Amino acid sequence: MLDRDFEFDEFDFFLLDTRRQRSHRKVGTLASAELFDVDTLNRLLDWLDSTNRPKFVVSPSMVLPRHRRAVQRDGSLNASNLSALHSDGWDGYPGTLQKVLGHIADEGISNVVFLSGDEHRSSIASAEIFDMAGQLVTKFKSIHTAAMWAPFPFANAIDEDIVENDEFVIESAALQQFTCKVQSRRPPRGDGPTYVSVSEDGDGWKLDCEFAGGVVETLVL
Protein backbone atom coordinates (compact mmCIF):
# COMPACT_ATOMS: atom_id res chain seq x y z
CA MET A 1 0.00 0.00 0.00
CA LEU A 2 1.53 3.29 -1.11
CA ASP A 3 -0.94 5.67 0.51
CA ARG A 4 0.08 6.94 3.92
CA ASP A 5 -0.01 10.01 6.13
CA PHE A 6 3.01 11.73 7.59
CA GLU A 7 4.23 15.01 9.07
CA PHE A 8 6.79 17.27 7.43
CA ASP A 9 7.99 20.60 8.80
CA GLU A 10 5.18 20.51 11.39
CA PHE A 11 2.43 20.16 8.75
CA ASP A 12 0.31 17.09 7.98
CA PHE A 13 0.36 15.30 4.62
CA PHE A 14 -1.71 12.45 3.20
CA LEU A 15 -0.12 10.69 0.23
CA LEU A 16 -2.58 8.95 -2.11
CA ASP A 17 -2.02 6.21 -4.66
CA THR A 18 -4.44 7.18 -7.43
CA ARG A 19 -2.95 4.80 -9.98
CA ARG A 20 -2.84 1.24 -8.68
CA GLN A 21 -6.06 1.35 -6.64
CA ARG A 22 -8.41 2.88 -9.20
CA SER A 23 -11.34 0.93 -10.60
CA HIS A 24 -11.63 0.07 -14.28
CA ARG A 25 -14.50 2.05 -15.80
CA LYS A 26 -16.95 1.63 -18.63
CA VAL A 27 -20.52 2.60 -19.41
CA GLY A 28 -22.63 0.97 -16.73
CA THR A 29 -19.94 0.83 -14.02
CA LEU A 30 -19.21 4.54 -13.51
CA ALA A 31 -21.51 4.67 -10.48
CA SER A 32 -19.35 2.18 -8.58
CA ALA A 33 -15.95 3.28 -9.91
CA GLU A 34 -13.58 4.66 -7.27
CA LEU A 35 -10.20 6.34 -7.58
CA PHE A 36 -8.92 4.43 -4.52
CA ASP A 37 -10.31 1.76 -2.21
CA VAL A 38 -12.84 2.33 0.57
CA ASP A 39 -10.31 1.79 3.37
CA THR A 40 -8.13 4.57 1.98
CA LEU A 41 -11.17 6.80 1.56
CA ASN A 42 -12.24 6.33 5.17
CA ARG A 43 -8.73 7.00 6.46
CA LEU A 44 -8.52 10.14 4.34
CA LEU A 45 -11.86 11.45 5.64
CA ASP A 46 -10.82 10.81 9.24
CA TRP A 47 -7.46 12.47 8.61
CA LEU A 48 -9.14 15.57 7.16
CA ASP A 49 -10.91 16.05 10.50
CA SER A 50 -7.68 15.86 12.49
CA THR A 51 -6.45 19.49 12.52
CA ASN A 52 -7.45 23.05 11.62
CA ARG A 53 -3.92 23.87 10.49
CA PRO A 54 -3.03 23.72 6.79
CA LYS A 55 -3.05 20.10 5.61
CA PHE A 56 -1.88 18.76 2.27
CA VAL A 57 -3.40 15.92 0.24
CA VAL A 58 -0.83 14.69 -2.28
CA SER A 59 -2.35 13.01 -5.34
CA PRO A 60 -0.72 12.14 -8.66
CA SER A 61 -4.05 12.87 -10.41
CA MET A 62 -5.32 16.45 -10.51
CA VAL A 63 -8.27 17.20 -8.22
CA LEU A 64 -9.29 20.56 -9.69
CA PRO A 65 -9.76 22.22 -12.11
CA ARG A 66 -11.97 19.85 -14.05
CA HIS A 67 -11.29 19.04 -17.69
CA ARG A 68 -13.53 20.29 -20.49
CA ARG A 69 -13.74 16.77 -21.89
CA ALA A 70 -15.14 15.51 -18.58
CA VAL A 71 -18.01 17.99 -18.49
CA GLN A 72 -18.77 18.48 -22.19
CA ARG A 73 -22.17 16.77 -22.01
CA ASP A 74 -22.95 16.95 -18.29
CA GLY A 75 -21.28 18.85 -15.46
CA SER A 76 -22.79 16.84 -12.62
CA LEU A 77 -20.95 14.60 -10.16
CA ASN A 78 -23.02 11.48 -10.75
CA ALA A 79 -23.05 8.33 -12.85
CA SER A 80 -25.19 9.92 -15.56
CA ASN A 81 -22.21 12.04 -16.60
CA LEU A 82 -20.61 9.68 -19.10
CA SER A 83 -18.24 12.46 -20.19
CA ALA A 84 -16.29 11.58 -17.04
CA LEU A 85 -15.01 8.48 -18.84
CA HIS A 86 -12.81 10.77 -20.94
CA SER A 87 -10.68 11.88 -17.98
CA ASP A 88 -8.31 9.94 -15.73
CA GLY A 89 -8.19 12.74 -13.14
CA TRP A 90 -10.51 13.06 -10.15
CA ASP A 91 -13.25 14.38 -12.45
CA GLY A 92 -13.12 10.98 -14.16
CA TYR A 93 -14.24 9.40 -10.89
CA PRO A 94 -17.12 11.68 -9.86
CA GLY A 95 -18.19 9.38 -7.01
CA THR A 96 -14.83 9.75 -5.27
CA LEU A 97 -14.67 13.49 -5.91
CA GLN A 98 -18.16 13.96 -4.50
CA LYS A 99 -17.48 11.91 -1.36
CA VAL A 100 -14.33 13.84 -0.48
CA LEU A 101 -15.71 17.30 -1.25
CA GLY A 102 -19.00 16.39 0.41
CA HIS A 103 -17.18 15.49 3.62
CA ILE A 104 -15.20 18.75 3.53
CA ALA A 105 -18.49 20.63 3.08
CA ASP A 106 -20.46 18.71 5.74
CA GLU A 107 -17.75 19.26 8.36
CA GLY A 108 -16.79 22.78 7.24
CA ILE A 109 -13.15 21.69 7.03
CA SER A 110 -10.76 24.55 6.27
CA ASN A 111 -7.13 24.94 5.19
CA VAL A 112 -7.13 21.95 2.82
CA VAL A 113 -4.60 22.05 -0.02
CA PHE A 114 -4.47 19.42 -2.77
CA LEU A 115 -1.08 18.95 -4.45
CA SER A 116 -0.70 17.08 -7.75
CA GLY A 117 1.47 16.87 -10.84
CA ASP A 118 0.24 14.36 -13.43
CA GLU A 119 -0.35 16.61 -16.42
CA HIS A 120 3.04 18.31 -16.97
CA ARG A 121 1.43 21.79 -16.90
CA SER A 122 1.01 23.84 -13.75
CA SER A 123 -2.29 25.31 -12.58
CA ILE A 124 -3.91 26.88 -9.52
CA ALA A 125 -7.54 26.29 -8.58
CA SER A 126 -9.27 28.25 -5.82
CA ALA A 127 -12.53 26.63 -4.74
CA GLU A 128 -15.32 27.93 -2.52
CA ILE A 129 -18.18 25.80 -1.18
CA PHE A 130 -21.55 27.42 -0.42
CA ASP A 131 -24.67 26.03 1.20
CA MET A 132 -27.96 26.25 -0.68
CA ALA A 133 -28.75 29.57 1.05
CA GLY A 134 -25.63 31.03 -0.58
CA GLN A 135 -23.56 31.21 2.62
CA LEU A 136 -19.86 30.41 2.35
CA VAL A 137 -19.10 27.12 4.15
CA THR A 138 -15.40 26.70 3.42
CA LYS A 139 -12.76 27.04 0.74
CA PHE A 140 -9.71 25.11 -0.41
CA LYS A 141 -6.90 25.12 -2.99
CA SER A 142 -5.71 22.68 -5.64
CA ILE A 143 -2.15 23.27 -6.87
CA HIS A 144 -0.74 21.37 -9.85
CA THR A 145 2.96 21.45 -10.62
CA ALA A 146 4.71 21.34 -13.96
CA ALA A 147 6.95 18.43 -14.93
CA MET A 148 10.63 18.49 -14.04
CA TRP A 149 11.35 17.97 -17.75
CA ALA A 150 8.67 17.48 -20.39
CA PRO A 151 10.16 17.62 -23.88
CA PHE A 152 7.33 15.77 -25.69
CA PRO A 153 4.36 18.08 -26.39
CA PHE A 154 1.95 15.20 -27.07
CA ALA A 155 2.33 14.07 -23.44
CA ASN A 156 1.64 17.48 -21.94
CA ALA A 157 -1.64 19.17 -21.03
CA ILE A 158 -2.60 22.36 -22.84
CA ASP A 159 -4.22 25.45 -21.36
CA GLU A 160 -7.49 24.83 -23.17
CA ASP A 161 -7.97 21.45 -21.42
CA ILE A 162 -9.37 22.92 -18.21
CA VAL A 163 -12.57 24.66 -17.16
CA GLU A 164 -11.28 27.94 -15.77
CA ASN A 165 -14.56 29.09 -14.19
CA ASP A 166 -16.59 26.14 -12.99
CA GLU A 167 -19.64 25.56 -10.81
CA PHE A 168 -21.23 22.27 -9.76
CA VAL A 169 -23.45 20.79 -7.08
CA ILE A 170 -22.11 18.51 -4.33
CA GLU A 171 -24.46 16.02 -2.69
CA SER A 172 -22.91 14.92 0.59
CA ALA A 173 -23.22 11.70 2.56
CA ALA A 174 -25.38 13.62 5.05
CA LEU A 175 -27.85 14.25 2.19
CA GLN A 176 -27.02 17.95 2.08
CA GLN A 177 -26.48 19.89 -1.12
CA PHE A 178 -23.75 22.45 -1.66
CA THR A 179 -22.49 24.50 -4.58
CA CYS A 180 -18.78 24.47 -5.40
CA LYS A 181 -17.43 27.41 -7.38
CA VAL A 182 -13.94 27.13 -8.85
CA GLN A 183 -11.69 29.75 -10.41
CA SER A 184 -8.50 28.49 -12.06
CA ARG A 185 -5.51 29.99 -13.78
CA ARG A 186 -2.25 28.86 -15.34
CA PRO A 187 1.16 30.24 -14.33
CA PRO A 188 3.55 30.90 -17.24
CA ARG A 189 4.83 27.79 -19.00
CA GLY A 190 8.06 26.19 -17.89
CA ASP A 191 9.51 22.92 -16.63
CA GLY A 192 10.73 22.54 -13.09
CA PRO A 193 9.61 21.97 -9.51
CA THR A 194 7.03 23.97 -7.58
CA TYR A 195 8.03 25.13 -4.10
CA VAL A 196 5.28 25.75 -1.55
CA SER A 197 5.89 27.67 1.67
CA VAL A 198 3.31 28.27 4.41
CA SER A 199 3.09 31.19 6.79
CA GLU A 200 0.58 32.62 9.23
CA ASP A 201 -1.31 35.66 8.00
CA GLY A 202 -3.09 37.33 10.90
CA ASP A 203 -5.74 34.86 12.03
CA GLY A 204 -5.30 32.75 8.89
CA TRP A 205 -2.67 31.25 6.62
CA LYS A 206 -1.14 31.96 3.25
CA LEU A 207 0.79 29.93 0.70
CA ASP A 208 3.61 31.20 -1.46
CA CYS A 209 3.91 28.97 -4.53
CA GLU A 210 7.06 29.39 -6.59
CA PHE A 211 6.59 27.87 -10.04
CA ALA A 212 9.15 27.24 -12.78
CA GLY A 213 11.03 30.35 -13.80
CA GLY A 214 10.74 31.88 -10.34
CA VAL A 215 7.11 33.01 -10.72
CA VAL A 216 5.56 33.34 -7.24
CA GLU A 217 1.82 33.21 -6.58
CA THR A 218 0.56 34.06 -3.08
CA LEU A 219 -2.67 32.33 -2.04
CA VAL A 220 -4.75 33.04 1.06
CA LEU A 221 -6.28 29.94 2.65
Side-chain angles (χ1 to χ4, degrees):
M1 182 181 297
L2 294 180
D3 54 88
R4 62 190 181 95
D5 60 281
F6 61 94
E7 183 180 294
F8 177 77
D9 205 15
E10 300 184 356
F11 291 98
D12 292 329
F13 289 76
F14 196 105
L15 179 65
L16 286 168
D17 176 5
T18 58
R19 283 297 172 201
R20 299 194 310 166
Q21 294 186 9
R22 62 174 55 199
S23 307
H24 293 290
R25 302 164 298 157
K26 61 182 180 180
V27 175
T29 67
L30 188 59
S32 60
E34 300 291 354
L35 194 55
F36 36 82
D37 64 42
V38 66
D39 290 339
T40 299
L41 174 64
N42 290 334
R43 290 195 300 109
L44 173 61
L45 299 186
D46 288 342
W47 176 86
L48 285 168
D49 294 329
S50 63
T51 178
N52 288 325
R53 287 167 54 82
K55 41 196 167 289
F56 299 87
V57 181
V58 184
S59 163
S61 302
M62 186 165 68
V63 179
L64 291 174
R66 297 196 294 174
H67 299 86
R68 293 185 183 276
R69 60 182 177 269
V71 300
Q72 57 186 339
R73 292 194 296 180
D74 184 353
S76 66
L77 295 184
N78 59 52
S80 67
N81 179 17
L82 297 182
S83 295
L85 295 170
H86 297 293
S87 174
D88 68 353
W90 282 61
D91 53 357
Y93 290 80
T96 301
L97 182 59
Q98 181 148 254
K99 288 172 184 173
V100 174
L101 297 189
H103 182 75
I104 290 173
D106 271 340
E107 302 301 326
I109 299 171
S110 59
N111 297 322
V112 178
V113 181
F114 293 96
L115 303 175
S116 54
D118 218 12
E119 308 209 352
H120 301 177
R121 178 71 176 97
S122 55
S123 66
I124 301 168
S126 298
E128 296 179 320
I129 298 177
F130 298 86
D131 63 22
M132 298 314 289
Q135 297 298 309
L136 179 65
V137 175
T138 190
K139 53 188 177 179
F140 64 92
K141 305 294 184 184
S142 177
I143 301 168
H144 201 73
T145 187
M148 292 294 291
W149 186 56
F152 304 112
F154 68 86
N156 304 332
I158 60 175
D159 291 356
E160 292 76 14
D161 284 341
I162 63 170
V163 182
E164 291 184 340
N165 298 297
D166 195 9
E167 181 174 329
F168 54 89
V169 173
I170 301 167
E171 297 183 3
S172 74
L175 303 180
Q176 300 293 316
Q177 285 194 337
F178 303 88
T179 299
C180 185
K181 297 182 179 181
V182 184
Q183 292 188 327
S184 304
R185 61 186 185 276
R186 299 278 202 185
R189 288 185 175 275
D191 293 347
T194 299
Y195 299 98
V196 178
S197 59
V198 190
S199 59
E200 292 188 76
D201 182 30
D203 294 331
W205 298 86
K206 68 177 183 179
L207 299 179
D208 287 321
C209 305
E210 181 180 343
F211 293 93
V215 175
V216 177
E217 297 267 1
T218 299
L219 310 176
V220 177
L221 293 182

